[in-house]
Amino acid sequence: MKHRDTHDLVGGIALVVIGVFFGLYASRYTMGTAGRMGPGYFPIVLGWLLALLGLLVALPAWWRQGSPIKVQWRNLATATASIVLFAALLQTAGVVVASVATSMVALIPACIPMRQKLMVSVAVAVLTVLIFVVGLQMNVPTWPW
């Protein structure tokens, strides 16, 4: 049995759906002109461009042969758990602890030594603090105390 290129087909269809949604939803705002852009100009233009790019990905994939999609359930579960953990820890434990814990959970499926997992988690925590606390000056606790 021949399989279509389901990876690109699903990805392209997802891009089309997202692009059409934003293109239509943004039409509630004033479009303006190219010389004097309104608040809806970029969301409308970018939404329809995204939909067009999605078509350019999905249409050739319909006729191209590919392998079936194999869901990696363990990776999906750890990624989802890490997002939930970050949301649960952010206000009580702070950005640093939440980032390290989240990274460690997300790296469970990775076949790398624990020392490297800790180094990656610390690097993610440092970057998160630099971007969100220092750069964007978000009002979130950095530490639990």
Side-chain angles (χ1 to χ4, degrees):
M1 179 175 158
K2 291 184 180 180
H3 292 280
R4 289 189 168 88
D5 188 0
T6 52
H7 295 94
D8 284 351
L9 189 61
V10 170
I13 291 171
L15 291 176
V16 169
V17 169
I18 292 168
V20 168
F21 170 77
F22 279 105
L24 292 176
Y25 189 81
S27 66
R28 297 178 178 193
Y29 301 112
T30 307
M31 176 78 166
T33 63
R36 189 169 182 95
M37 298 175 197
Y41 191 86
F42 273 110
I44 291 170
V45 170
L46 293 178
W48 291 112
L49 279 174
L50 184 64
L52 177 66
L53 289 174
L55 279 174
L56 291 176
V57 170
L59 286 177
W62 181 263
W63 291 281
R64 191 171 47 232
Q65 186 176 352
S67 59
I69 294 178
K70 183 180 182 301
V71 178
Q72 297 176 352
W73 294 106
R74 185 174 184 210
N75 293 353
L76 179 64
T78 55
T80 304
S82 66
I83 293 169
V84 171
L85 180 66
F86 186 81
L89 288 179
L90 183 60
Q91 291 300 321
T92 57
V95 173
V96 174
V97 175
S99 296
V100 169
T102 298
S103 298
M104 290 299 288
V105 170
L107 288 170
I108 287 173
C111 297
I112 58 175
M114 182 58 76
R115 183 175 179 198
Q116 283 183 316
K117 289 181 182 182
L118 286 171
M119 289 171 41
V120 168
S121 297
V122 168
V124 166
V126 168
L127 286 172
T128 303
V129 169
L130 288 175
I131 292 169
F132 294 104
V133 176
V134 176
L136 295 175
Q137 297 177 348
M138 290 182 70
N139 190 16
V140 291
T142 307
W143 296 99
W145 49 84

